[in-house]
Amino acid sequence: MHFTTNLSEIEALLKEDVPYFDLTSSLLELDTLNAEILFSPRNPVTVCGSEEAEKVFKLLGAETNMLKQSGETAEADEIVLKAQGKAELLHTGWKTSQNILEHFSGIATRTRTMVDSARRGRKDTEVCGTRKHLPGTKSLSLKALRSGGGYPHRLGLSDSVLIFSNHYNLLGGIETLCRQFPAIKARCPEKKVSVEVESLAHAVMAAGAGADIIQLDKLSPGLVEETSKQVKKVNRDIIVAAAGGINGNNAEAYAAAGSDVLVSSWMYVGKPADYKVTIRKI
């Protein structure tokens, strides 16, 4: 897994928190003291953001020791990152680094929970995160998703074809869409075409028209199971994706129902991981 956050992005995050200088540390003359800062989760986590947190301190001129990379598990109180340098600069990077570790380890940990749950239901079901991450955090949110074992559902509107009811209702309904399917697929022969439906009947109709992926919106696990069986009678290679309300508590049931893909934004919304930060004189 290779994700990079460039120095200009790190500088922007620091500038947001410390636009000029650290007034408190300056008043206490902490620039005269050597210290170290330690980051450790209070509960077990799937780590994400340790590389970016390390860059914060390197940018400030500190010496660093990253003990856990993104995607690795850290137990409670296990040190993820250390940095040494002047106490003032460690305080300067403290909160920016903590925020990165807490927010994105939270996403990674929830993703891992969902992936593990799905694999208990069906070993080859993939968990895919939607584009419903917090605006402005796409790169790190995707990194957290991958750190937890998930994959992006869609990177953006330009990379894939996903036809929603909001699309085909404008055309006159799903029947009209299905009549247009040969022309649609002919115009993008290198792309798979996905159609989201809300009923078994529409799923079978779209499968018969040539859809490569059927995305089932807000169907129960029981209906997903029956729909999966029916559309795979039409095309055994069709991909079935379950979406709408999929979370860590029901991922196992939806995977066991025959879903090839679970589409969710659940991992993006929740309590951040809780990291303990210790700064001590050396």
Side-chain angles (χ1 to χ4, degrees), residues 8-142:
S8 64
E9 293 174 295
I10 298 298
E11 288 173 340
L13 290 172
L14 269 172
K15 190 75 172 177
E16 184 178 66
D17 192 44
V18 191
Y20 304 108
F21 65 98
D22 179 353
L23 179 57
T24 305
S25 294
S26 178
L27 288 170
L28 297 175
E29 298 182 342
L30 295 185
D31 62 331
T32 64
L33 300 176
N34 291 320
E36 69 174 350
I37 186 168
L38 312 171
F39 294 86
S40 55
R42 297 182 189 274
N43 301 289
V45 299
T46 298
V47 174
C48 182
S50 51
E51 295 83 5
E52 287 73 19
E54 182 184 45
K55 284 182 180 179
V56 169
F57 291 107
K58 283 187 173 181
L59 185 64
L60 292 168
E63 295 181 4
T64 62
N65 184 6
M66 184 176 61
L67 301 173
K68 290 288 184 177
Q69 296 181 344
S70 293
E72 294 184 329
T73 299
E75 299 301 326
D77 299 321
E78 190 173 5
I79 297 171
V80 169
L81 176 68
K82 295 180 182 180
Q84 294 182 351
K86 295 300 181 184
E88 182 174 356
L89 70 83
L90 297 183
H91 280 82
T92 298
W94 167 11
K95 192 55 64 176
T96 298
S97 298
Q98 185 180 12
N99 282 341
I100 291 170
L101 284 167
E102 291 192 337
H103 283 281
F104 297 103
S105 293
I107 293 172
T109 302
R110 284 189 293 276
T111 303
R112 175 51 61 190
T113 296
M114 192 170 179
V115 168
D116 289 346
S117 176
R119 296 286 162 79
R120 288 194 295 271
R122 185 170 180 245
K123 66 178 182 179
D124 53 354
T125 295
E126 293 292 345
V127 170
C128 294
T130 71
R131 289 153 46 228
K132 291 184 179 179
H133 45 69
L134 190 68
T137 68
K138 190 179 190 78
S139 179
L140 275 167
S141 292
L142 288 176

Side-chain angles (χ1 to χ4, degrees), residues 8 10 23 68 83 111 120 123 148 166 170 192 206 208 230 243 245 260 266 269 279:
S8 64
I10 298 298
L23 179 57
K68 290 288 184 177
T111 303
R120 288 194 295 271
K123 66 178 182 179
N166 282 333
L170 291 171
K192 291 185 181 293
Q230 294 301 322
D260 300 297
W266 175 79
V269 181
I279 300 177

Side-chain angles (χ1 to χ4, degrees), residues 121-179:
R122 185 170 180 245
K123 66 178 182 179
D124 53 354
T125 295
E126 293 292 345
V127 170
C128 294
T130 71
R131 289 153 46 228
K132 291 184 179 179
H133 45 69
L134 190 68
T137 68
K138 190 179 190 78
S139 179
L140 275 167
S141 292
L142 288 176
K143 180 174 183 174
L145 178 70
R146 287 293 299 117
S147 295
Y151 281 90
H153 178 226
R154 304 176 81 190
L155 291 172
L157 291 178
S158 303
D159 75 330
S160 58
V161 183
L162 174 51
I163 304 171
F164 290 102
S165 59
N166 282 333
H167 292 114
Y168 54 74
N169 286 341
L170 291 171
L171 303 176
I174 194 167
E175 295 87 352
T176 303
L177 171 69
C178 290
R179 288 195 295 270

